[in-house]
Amino acid sequence: MSQFLVDVLKGLSAPEKYLESKYFYDAAGDAIFQQIMDCPEYYPTKCELEIFSNQTQELASVFTNRFQSFDIVELGAGDATKSIYLLKELVDRETNFTYYPVDISTNVIDQLHKKLPPQLPALKLKGLNGEYFEMLEEAKQQSNNIKVVLFLGSNIGNIPLNKAEDFFRQLRSHLQPGDLVLIGFDLKKNPLVILAAYNDKAGYTRDFNLNLLKRINKDLGGDFAVENFKHYPTYDPHTGTCKSYLVSTTKQQVHIEQSTFYLEEGETIHTEISQKFSVEQTNTFALNSGFEPLHHFFDSKKWFLDAIWRCV
Ligand SMILES: C[S@@+](CC[C@H](N)C(=O)[O-])C[C@H]1O[C@@H](n2cnc3c(N)ncnc32)[C@H](O)[C@@H]1O
């Protein structure tokens, strides 16, 4: 039985149904995520892109001032739109480094191997297709160099807030003293701005959520009637937690393999968390999980933070 099937059956059997957000990213999901990133309401990519494109020199210098040679391991690299600015600057400086993009989506890694060599012919590139920490271990097997881990796009926000510190402890346990990490955090801001980013007018976020049901139908032989579900995003400014649900608009049954799941009209399937943070919270994460905060890079609106931490 595939891990995807195991996780889907577990999530739909829970008293409060859920599906894990890491399964959004098949080829169709990757393409819809590109549309989300380009739509006017989705500010996180634009803010982080501003940091990487306007402060490229400063970012690169943090690494080149410290290390003669190193590896960049990017967890959940996606299309590397932001990191490419840093990669280009490092290549231009003739820095000795290898780039290991890690992604659970096979399509993402294939696309990066097609896209990056023509743009940066001198880049040493080794894509790794799989889960974050398994592939970080794989990168360590391939080279003993100092590691610089990128974890951008506020991907950390897709983990429940009470598990974020565990994630950073786990990350730290795979690294050595002196290694660096660069983490993107989407910061708390006007709740209306945040909610709009997950409820765009063109409906890309809606399509992204519904695509998960289509993927279950396609890859696991499910029979979700996708038209019987509506996208429902929420944001709680006190906790900073943004959540997306799919709401069943009718009483219905869904079959996957030998299992049948029953949904009442109005019942929800939780699909995604996008946590928003305060700067203080991010410093506390670092200090509690074996890192020392070194640098903070903000966009001009101070909506997004790229923090660089050193492993102690
Ligand atoms: C929200 S996208 C962000 C992409 C990119 N970092 C950015 O900032 O634009 C998340 C990416 O992480 C990947 N991903 C999600 N969960 C993962 C996991 N557990 N292990 C490896 N990759 C994962 C997805 O396939 C997707 O490409």
Side-chain angles (χ1 to χ4, degrees), residues 22 25 30 33 37 45 48 74-79 82 102-105 108 130-132 152-153 155 158:
K22 66 182 175 189
Y25 300 92
D30 292 337
F33 190 68
M37 288 196 294
T45 310
E48 199 173 33
E74 179 165 8
L75 305 180
D79 67 357
K82 292 162 274 184
V102 168
D103 209 287
I104 200 169
S105 163
V108 157
E131 289 273 352
Y132 297 138
L152 308 184
N155 275 15
N158 298 141

Side-chain angles (χ1 to χ4, degrees), residues 112-130:
L112 288 177
H113 272 274
K114 279 192 197 127
K115 174 177 121 168
L116 292 179
Q119 291 186 34
L120 293 173
L123 179 71
K124 287 183 262 171
L125 167 69
K126 291 186 181 171
L128 299 172
N129 179 211

Side-chain angles (χ1 to χ4, degrees), residues 50-296:
E50 185 199 308
I51 296 172
F52 272 75
S53 58
N54 288 358
Q55 302 177 66
T56 327
Q57 307 262 339
E58 293 84 345
L59 280 169
S61 294
V62 172
F63 309 123
T64 55
N65 287 347
R66 281 173 178 266
F67 311 128
Q68 294 283 325
S69 69
F70 56 94
D71 295 327
I72 295 187
V73 182
E74 179 165 8
L75 305 180
D79 67 357
T81 321
K82 292 162 274 184
S83 33
I84 198 162
Y85 285 89
L86 175 63
L87 300 175
K88 180 169 185 318
E89 177 64 24
L90 292 171
V91 166
D92 288 349
R93 291 186 190 189
E94 298 184 1
T95 312
N96 184 11
F97 77 105
T98 301
Y99 176 53
Y100 294 89
V102 168
D103 209 287
I104 200 169
S105 163
T106 321
N107 176 56
V108 157
I109 298 298
D110 291 347
Q111 293 298 322
L112 288 177
H113 272 274
K114 279 192 197 127
K115 174 177 121 168
L116 292 179
Q119 291 186 34
L120 293 173
L123 179 71
K124 287 183 262 171
L125 167 69
K126 291 186 181 171
L128 299 172
N129 179 211
E131 289 273 352
Y132 297 138
F133 295 128
E134 284 167 28
M135 293 304 109
L136 180 52
E137 279 305 312
E138 178 64 34
K140 282 166 62 187
Q141 293 287 319
Q142 295 197 16
S143 132
N144 295 324
N145 270 337
I146 285 273
K147 297 286 179 276
V148 171
V149 172
L150 309 186
F151 193 43
L152 308 184
S154 206
N155 275 15
I156 185 62
N158 298 141
I159 293 167
L161 183 57
N162 61 1
K163 302 248 173 74
E165 210 162 278
D166 286 349
F167 180 90
F168 289 127
R169 284 210 186 92
Q170 226 182 321
L171 175 59
R172 175 63 189 84
S173 74
H174 291 279
L175 297 171
Q176 300 298 321
D179 287 344
L180 297 184
V181 300
L182 193 173
I183 318 271
F185 291 100
D186 193 10
L187 299 175
K188 289 182 177 173
K189 61 187 68 63
N190 183 338
L192 296 172
V193 171
I194 293 176
L195 191 58
Y198 298 89
N199 202 19
D200 62 281
K201 287 209 177 73
Y204 296 127
T205 319
R206 175 201 63 210
D207 293 349
F208 187 61
N209 270 277
L210 291 172
N211 181 60
L212 188 47
L213 305 186
K214 291 185 186 165
R215 182 178 182 191
I216 293 170
N217 288 351
K218 177 168 63 75
D219 293 352
L220 304 178
D223 64 354
F224 272 105
V226 176
E227 65 280 7
N228 289 343
F229 291 87
K230 287 255 185 284
H231 168 58
Y232 176 65
T234 67
Y235 177 62
D236 177 349
H238 288 178
T239 59
T241 307
C242 198
K243 288 187 179 176
S244 291
Y245 298 88
L246 290 169
V247 185
S248 171
T249 56
T250 180
K251 189 179 168 89
Q252 56 185 320
Q253 293 182 15
V254 179
H255 307 94
I256 302 168
E257 295 271 317
Q258 311 306 322
S259 307
T260 304
F261 301 98
Y262 299 89
L263 287 119
E264 295 298 328
E265 183 185 344
E267 192 176 343
T268 54
I269 304 175
H270 176 217
T271 54
E272 195 180 25
I273 295 187
S274 300
Q275 182 67 35
K276 311 302 165 194
F277 304 92
S278 67
V279 177
E280 299 69 41
Q281 245 174 335
T282 71
N283 287 332
T284 306
F285 284 146
L287 297 171
N288 287 349
S289 52
F291 297 94
E292 170 198 8
L294 280 188
H295 297 278
H296 283 164

